[in-house]
Amino acid sequence: MPHADEYAHELAELARQSEITVAVAESLTSGRLSATLGAAPNSSEWFRGGLVAYSSEVKHTVLGVPDVPVVSQPAAEAMATGVRGLLKAVVAVSVTGAGGPDPQDGQPPGSVWFAIATEHEVRAWHRQFDGDPADVVAQTVACATESLLDTVRALRSDRSPA
């Protein structure tokens, strides 16, 4: 399986060529996703930035997460939509989950919700990762980066002349 850095490198090229800007809202990854994207080539041209919303209060007050468990589909969707608007990006991804070793919000360790927001849709999905907290974080960053890459590919195709 390719690593997040490889996905980020390809994402950088596609986003820059297509003038698609990217933002992230992350919780359990604590800035690792932003660091991965920021280290990719020409990141200042396409990466708008990220918001590390580790505390529930920040998720609710800054990103507009409703009064729901923060490890949930509605939380992930609100985080992606919120950061997309705050940072004025074309596409945004969010990650929120229980990294472990303990459960959170009734979710087992390794339970992660993702969401991607674009101008026309918000899509969320759930993954259950195995391993210790560091493994969960690494798998989460790779999954989020791969999903951003897939989304930028699709957006790029939509922008191509017919």
Side-chain angles (χ1 to χ4, degrees):
M1 177 168 135
H3 297 284
D5 293 337
E6 295 171 39
Y7 294 134
H9 191 86
E10 187 175 347
L11 171 65
E13 186 62 25
L14 290 176
R16 189 184 60 75
Q17 288 174 355
S18 307
E19 298 180 353
I20 293 173
T21 54
V22 174
V24 303
E26 53 187 314
S27 181
L28 83 132
T29 50
S30 301
R32 296 255 179 103
L33 180 54
S34 294
T36 298
L37 298 181
N42 303 304
S43 59
S44 64
E45 296 177 30
W46 57 271
F47 181 47
R48 298 288 294 170
L51 194 145
V52 178
Y54 206 73
S55 84
S56 296
E57 180 184 2
V58 172
K59 290 177 187 78
H60 295 298
T61 61
V62 177
L63 292 173
V65 171
D67 190 18
V68 298
V70 295
V71 181
S72 68
Q73 179 177 345
E77 291 171 345
M79 289 171 65
T81 301
V83 79
R84 183 180 173 276
L86 283 171
L87 300 184
K88 297 176 177 36
V90 173
V91 62
V93 67
S94 68
V95 298
T96 184
D102 300 317
Q104 183 178 345
D105 289 337
Q107 298 296 310
S111 178
V112 181
W113 277 97
F114 298 83
I116 289 192
T118 65
E119 179 182 6
H120 300 294
E121 71 174 338
V122 180
R123 164 176 74 83
W125 68 99
H126 178 265
R127 295 284 303 270
Q128 182 66 47
F129 296 120
D130 293 324
D132 65 24
D135 294 331
V136 171
V137 168
Q139 292 171 84
T140 300
V141 171
C143 182
T145 308
E146 181 181 24
S147 298
L148 273 173
L149 175 57
D150 291 343
T151 302
V152 169
R153 283 181 183 138
L155 289 172
R156 183 177 181 198
S157 295
D158 291 347
R159 291 178 169 209
S160 297

